[in-house]
Amino acid sequence: MNIVIAGAAETDELGKLPHMSTTQLHLQAARNALADAGMTKDDIDGVATVGVPGPIQIAHALGIAPAWLDGTGVGGSSFLFHVRHAAAAIRAGLCTTVLITHGESGRSRVGAARPALGPDSLIGQFELPYGVLGPPTMFTLTALRYMKETGLTHEQLAEVAVAQRRWAHRNPRAMYQDLITVEDVLASRMVAYPFHLLECCLVTDGGGALIVTTEERARRSPVHLLGSGESAESPIISQMEDFTTSAAFRRSGEAAFAEAGISHDDVDHLMIYDAFAHVPIYGLEDLGFVKRGEAGPFIAEGHTSPGGRLPLNTNGGGLSYTHTGMYGMFAIQESVRQLRGEAAAQVPDVEVGVVLGNGGMFASAATLVLSNRRP
């Protein structure tokens, strides 16, 4: 049974959308994905999403009576988990066609949930007392240790933002499109050492949705799911096994590559979740595209930029395209566009794409191997 992504679409707009609630973003993305797939709500019997509203509310709002639901919430990688879980459910006969939605008012906070971190939580007990709160300060722990042990320079870290802006410059939907230099990055405001403002993700509003089904049910040229993997490490960053590598990245990547039966040389296009500039560096190494300590120079030499041999984050990524808080949906969307030949910054001859999602601060990870060719 060949599992495919039969529909994929984002909200009409991304950026600052104070006129749209979180629920409205979910629903608009869902309707756009259904239209893209040539389907209606009556074709859907499975619904997956994360956060508030959850899958029950989304199904009710769209008038869907689901036979299968998934509310897995493991951070920004959740949507990759949903694709994997939907594939398993379809193969098991639990449903036939799954709608996966995302909507997040990350910037305007319209209808957005406000997470509470109690003093009895792991973060409350073991990290908050030391002044570590939120991604900018939490991710510094890993970035600084990696820089110390591998010799990654500030200039090489800045090159990640520069490379991704080159792709965003070609994308009219990207929030930031102007080309930047390493000097621009290092001159931007220091947020939390070693991260300058341009090395931190955007904060935006927006959403996206996917339709996952079988090849036989797809009504347009589909994107095939060749393989997938998922894993997790520690719910708090201070308890990672090794600050310089993500065990969840490694395990999920190995599983996805093994299921797909591909090698690194088969990969034409790569999307790696980039909440902060060092995360793509970890992804390149943990997926095995380069050796330890080589990812920074690899990016600085232009290999992931337009014209490079491994196009990476071709929409501009979370650093330049959009980042609503949970970015994984947008990474999948760009991979689908590239495989369809519909991307704003289209890479020639893309047949196999890999998407790596991060959840929390290296807490969870999932990897998808997608292709426009049948397995």
Side-chain angles (χ1 to χ4, degrees):
M1 182 183 294
N2 293 334
I3 304 298
V4 302
I5 296 176
E10 296 172 354
T11 47
D12 296 343
E13 298 177 280
L14 303 170
K16 189 174 183 180
L17 309 174
H19 58 288
M20 296 190 72
S21 69
T22 298
T23 299
Q24 288 175 309
L25 293 168
H26 275 270
L27 299 182
Q28 185 181 88
R31 294 189 183 100
N32 289 348
L34 287 168
D36 179 72
M39 295 182 177
T40 71
K41 66 178 182 64
D42 296 329
D43 294 301
I44 304 300
D45 59 357
V47 176
T49 191
V50 56
V52 178
I56 296 173
Q57 293 93 324
I58 295 302
H60 177 74
L62 290 170
I64 296 169
W68 179 84
L69 295 167
D70 185 4
T72 299
V74 287
S77 63
S78 297
F79 313 102
L80 288 81
F81 279 74
H82 294 159
V83 171
R84 188 170 196 253
H85 296 177
I90 293 168
R91 289 186 176 118
L94 302 180
C95 56
T96 64
T97 307
V98 176
L99 169 67
I100 302 170
T101 70
H102 170 54
E104 200 168 9
S105 185
R107 185 181 183 93
S108 301
R109 309 302 297 169
V110 182
R114 299 188 180 277
L117 297 173
D120 59 334
S121 67
L122 290 175
I123 292 176
Q125 294 180 72
F126 302 113
E127 292 185 353
L128 284 179
Y130 301 95
V132 179
L133 174 63
T137 52
M138 290 178 177
F139 267 132
T140 60
L141 301 177
T142 50
L144 287 170
R145 179 64 64 85
Y146 181 91
M147 294 175 80
K148 175 181 173 61
E149 292 194 7
T150 68
L152 180 77
T153 67
H154 289 279
E155 288 77 13
Q156 289 169 336
L157 185 63
E159 287 279 8
V160 177
V162 173
Q164 294 189 190
R165 188 63 66 87
R166 293 185 185 118
W167 289 111
H169 183 64
R170 303 180 175 201
N171 188 350
R173 275 174 66 86
M175 185 168 182
Y176 291 147
Q177 300 173 28
D178 293 340
L179 292 172
I180 55 175
T181 65
V182 168
E183 290 72 25
D184 292 329
V185 176
L186 297 181
S188 64
R189 176 171 59 86
M190 180 66 71
V191 174
Y193 187 81
F195 298 128
H196 300 82
L197 181 63
L198 295 179
E199 294 165 320
C200 303
C201 66
L202 306 172
V203 181
T204 61
D205 307 325
L210 302 165
I211 310 293
V212 179
T213 188
T214 60
E215 184 179 14
E216 293 73 23
R217 289 179 175 270
R219 296 174 185 170
R220 62 165 296 174
S221 297
V223 169
H224 297 267
L225 176 65
L226 301 187
S228 63
E230 65 182 70
S231 191
E233 189 173 352
S234 168
I236 54 176
I237 197 167
S238 61
Q239 300 307 302
M240 286 179 67
E241 178 183 287
D242 181 343
F243 282 166
T244 67
T245 178
S246 166
F249 280 13
R250 297 195 309 273
R251 289 192 291 260
S252 72
E254 289 167 2
F257 275 62
E259 183 182 4
I262 65 165
S263 69
H264 296 89
D265 291 338
D266 295 317
V267 178
D268 304 306
H269 176 258
L270 184 60
M271 296 296 295
I272 297 177
Y273 197 114
D274 60 320
F276 289 80
H278 70 311
V279 182
I281 290 174
Y282 280 55
L284 284 168
E285 296 182 6
D286 291 338
L287 287 177
F289 286 98
V290 296
K291 296 178 181 178
R292 176 179 168 83
E294 293 182 353
F298 184 80
I299 293 172
E301 290 164 7
H303 297 300
T304 64
S305 293
R309 59 189 173 95
L310 185 59
L312 170 67
N313 293 345
T314 51
N315 59 355
L319 298 181
S320 290
Y321 179 63
T322 198
H323 194 294
T324 58
M326 291 184 287
Y327 172 74
M329 173 62 76
F330 302 101
I332 303 171
Q333 293 283 340
E334 175 65 9
S335 186
V336 170
R337 286 191 292 263
Q338 288 286 345
L339 289 162
R340 288 176 170 179
E342 300 172 352
Q346 182 63 45
V347 175
D349 303 320
V350 175
E351 291 188 356
V352 176
V354 171
V355 187
L356 172 63
N358 168 70
M361 271 49 72
F362 294 120
S364 73
T367 304
L368 305 178
V369 180
L370 304 176
S371 179
N372 51 25
R373 67 187 189 209
R374 298 182 77 250

